[in-house]
Amino acid sequence: MRILHEDGDVLVVYKEAGLPVQTSVTTRMDLVSLLKKTLSEKEGQTNPYLGIIHRLDQPVEGLLVFAKNPKAAAALSA
């Protein structure tokens, strides 16, 4: 995972192939968990907001956009 852009509203992240965006298996790391951990360490929040705007399948690599607040999530989803 590599954060390519971050501002107060948006994160643009490069996801490697093989890493799931989200998983229901608690013992397996996923992109959302990695990003929330990174944001909480960086911003000092225990559970930062992260709106998933779109997903990529696990075997696919590419760019993903995440919202950092509900207002940005609504605008990006519109």
Side-chain angles (χ1 to χ4, degrees):
M1 168 206 66
R2 206 169 52 234
I3 297 175
L4 301 175
H5 172 79
E6 179 179 3
D7 60 31
D9 297 316
V10 174
L11 278 173
V12 178
V13 178
Y14 173 78
K15 180 191 94 63
E16 296 90 2
L19 179 65
V21 175
Q22 271 187 312
T23 182
S24 60
V25 181
T26 57
T27 57
R28 180 152 192 210
M29 189 52 72
D30 59 37
L31 183 59
V32 170
S33 298
L34 286 170
L35 285 172
K36 283 190 171 194
K37 182 177 186 286
T38 300
L39 290 174
S40 66
E41 290 170 355
K42 190 189 246 185
E43 299 175 3
Q45 299 174 336
T46 55
N47 190 22
Y49 181 90
L50 193 61
I52 302 170
I53 305 306
H54 62 100
R55 301 171 195 274
L56 291 174
D57 291 337
Q58 184 173 338
V60 178
E61 66 180 276
L63 299 179
L64 289 162
V65 176
F66 293 89
K68 292 179 68 179
N69 58 62
K71 186 176 177 181
L76 289 166
S77 295

